[in-house]
Amino acid sequence: MSKSPAFQFYPGDFLSDGNQMVMELNEVGAYTRLMCVCWIEGNIPTDIRKLAKLAGTNPREMRSVWPAIAPCFETDPVFAGFLVHTRLERERVKQASFREKARQAGKKSAEKRKERSTPVEGALDSS
């Protein structure tokens, strides 16, 4: 599956999310950066020092903000020691489905164009 460079961001969903609504500004900033890393990489590590680096802060601050952010992520079902963001995973599946439908439609369109451009046998015979 090819990686998509972007994901849909729904401000209404984001602002009304119960976990995010109770976050302080620095927590929202760390959360947003971690979501972006999670989108690009597919997951984020559980190690607090690594999370701090990814969030652009130090381990002490990360330990302080992590309790507010942690409920937004779940254990990666495939890779031990990593977390995934379920909303982003749904978006990833949605985008993959859209790309596959577009690929199939393009293939079908190309086949139809090819059929129209193929001369009918005997149509150009001159007797």
Side-chain angles (χ1 to χ4, degrees):
M1 171 174 23
S2 64
K3 286 190 175 185
S4 178
F7 60 88
Q8 291 286 322
F9 183 82
Y10 301 95
D13 291 351
F14 183 76
L15 294 174
S16 65
D17 177 79
N19 292 317
Q20 189 281 139
M21 287 177 69
V22 297
M23 288 182 192
E24 295 184 12
L25 183 60
N26 59 339
E27 295 164 340
V28 173
Y31 171 49
T32 304
R33 285 184 66 146
L34 292 173
M35 276 196 319
C36 291
V37 170
C38 196
W39 178 257
I40 293 166
E41 299 298 324
N43 56 30
I44 57 173
T46 55
D47 180 83
I48 206 78
R49 290 184 177 281
K50 291 177 183 175
L51 285 172
K53 282 222 180 266
L54 295 172
T57 191
N58 60 62
R60 184 180 60 75
E61 178 67 14
M62 194 70 223
R63 278 187 205 88
S64 170
V65 300
W66 185 242
I69 299 169
C72 300
F73 293 90
E74 292 183 357
T75 302
D76 189 317
V78 178
F79 299 104
F82 289 88
L83 304 167
V84 293
H85 191 281
T86 52
R87 175 68 182 87
L88 291 181
E89 290 308 303
R90 283 195 310 269
E91 183 67 22
R92 201 179 305 279
V93 168
K94 185 172 109 179
Q95 286 188 16
S97 174
F98 177 81
R99 281 193 306 274
E100 179 58 23
K101 286 178 186 173
R103 187 184 77 76
Q104 291 295 334
K107 187 176 177 181
K108 192 174 184 179
S109 176
E111 288 170 358
K112 282 187 178 189
R113 282 193 309 277
K114 186 177 179 183
E115 286 173 11
R116 281 184 281 181
S117 67
T118 304
V120 177
E121 192 174 314
L124 298 178
D125 285 346
S126 55
S127 308

